Amino acid sequence: MKLATATLSALLFCEATFGQKYPQTLVDSLCNLTIEYYYTDFMKPPDRVEAIPFKPRDPFILKSELTLTLKSQLKDFMVRFVTQQEALDEFAKTKNRTGSLEKLFVTQLQDTIDIDIGSWEVRVTKVKYKNGKVIPIHSSFTTSCGGTLGAIPICRFIYETATHSWTRYTWQETANAIRKANQRE
């Protein structure tokens, strides 16, 4: 009995110390901000002239428990939350049978919420036709390496107790902070 009580206490202590669950409305709003940032600023071609508005493509994000209450219509584009099969069906209809499928990841820590978007480049390599409809049979998924700085989220939100607000740190800001810290060592 003492062992069970000690184990339960340790688990509860670890949950309270190392992580917590934030209200879903907060997580949803931070996810929506991250998605908008990712497709409008982070993914913007670097040679793009600022005066010319950048319109992101309407991206496909894998459906999950995280995407149930997120916005699909954002400022300049629409997000399509799809299953893997729905994405493959759409990619099979394109001329080159390729597309990009993203997945949303949220890590909740004490006073920090990391939101990342993983991406796979998908190529439908074999299709068949049934009643005039193209059906994907085989596909390949590729992803790129995250780099040598380790895992860095697209956006990191840190709760500032002095102002009682969340501050967003973009991937670039976090990467620059890591580089500076590595240079000092």
Side-chain angles (χ1 to χ4, degrees), residues 54-101:
F54 171 68
K55 167 112 173 55
R57 62 184 172 22
D58 294 338
F60 292 95
I61 296 180
L62 204 55
K63 279 183 187 176
S64 71
E65 67 281 350
L66 295 171
T67 64
L68 296 175
T69 53
L70 296 182
K71 289 186 207 177
S72 59
Q73 183 63 51
L74 295 165
K75 184 179 173 185
D76 294 324
F77 62 98
M78 184 172 154
V79 174
R80 295 185 56 188
F81 298 108
V82 296
T83 64
Q84 181 177 325
Q85 187 60 49
E86 290 169 336
L88 291 173
D89 290 342
E90 290 298 317
F91 300 154
K93 295 176 190 175
T94 65
K95 181 180 177 181
N96 56 4
R97 295 189 179 137
T98 62
S100 181
L101 179 62

Side-chain angles (χ1 to χ4, degrees), residues 9-20 108-111:
S9 296
L11 289 173
L12 292 175
F13 175 74
C14 288
E15 177 67 25
T17 302
F18 298 116
Q20 64 187 52
Q108 299 181 33
L109 304 169
Q110 187 158 349
D111 298 334

Side-chain angles (χ1 to χ4, degrees), residues 145-153 156 171-183:
C145 171
T148 59
L149 293 176
I152 301 174
R156 172 170 283 161
W171 181 93
Q172 292 88 344
E173 292 168 331
T174 304
N176 288 339
I178 291 171
R179 281 188 199 108
K180 285 180 185 176
N182 288 343
Q183 288 173 351

Side-chain angles (χ1 to χ4, degrees), residues 11-164:
L11 289 173
L12 292 175
F13 175 74
C14 288
E15 177 67 25
T17 302
F18 298 116
Q20 64 187 52
K21 293 287 185 184
Y22 293 101
Q24 190 60 43
T25 54
L26 171 67
V27 174
D28 287 350
S29 67
L30 299 180
C31 284
N32 287 327
L33 286 171
T34 301
I35 291 170
E36 190 158 345
Y37 164 74
Y38 182 73
Y39 292 107
T40 58
D41 291 326
F42 185 80
M43 295 299 289
K44 185 183 291 187
D47 60 346
R48 193 69 177 195
V49 178
E50 285 298 322
I52 301 171
F54 171 68
K55 167 112 173 55
R57 62 184 172 22
D58 294 338
F60 292 95
I61 296 180
L62 204 55
K63 279 183 187 176
S64 71
E65 67 281 350
L66 295 171
T67 64
L68 296 175
T69 53
L70 296 182
K71 289 186 207 177
S72 59
Q73 183 63 51
L74 295 165
K75 184 179 173 185
D76 294 324
F77 62 98
M78 184 172 154
V79 174
R80 295 185 56 188
F81 298 108
V82 296
T83 64
Q84 181 177 325
Q85 187 60 49
E86 290 169 336
L88 291 173
D89 290 342
E90 290 298 317
F91 300 154
K93 295 176 190 175
T94 65
K95 181 180 177 181
N96 56 4
R97 295 189 179 137
T98 62
S100 181
L101 179 62
E102 277 83 26
K103 182 172 181 180
L104 194 62
F105 298 92
V106 175
T107 304
Q108 299 181 33
L109 304 169
Q110 187 158 349
D111 298 334
T112 303
I113 298 176
D114 286 346
I115 302 175
D116 203 9
I117 300 174
S119 179
W120 296 278
E121 293 304 315
V122 181
R123 176 175 296 280
V124 176
T125 56
K126 187 175 180 183
V127 296
K128 73 176 182 179
Y129 294 90
K130 186 174 183 180
N131 299 329
K133 182 181 176 189
V134 64
I135 299 171
I137 301 297
H138 187 271
S139 59
S140 63
F141 287 66
T142 58
T143 189
S144 63
C145 171
T148 59
L149 293 176
I152 301 174
I154 298 299
C155 287
R156 172 170 283 161
F157 297 89
I158 298 177
Y159 186 73
E160 305 291 342
T161 54
T163 61
H164 300 290

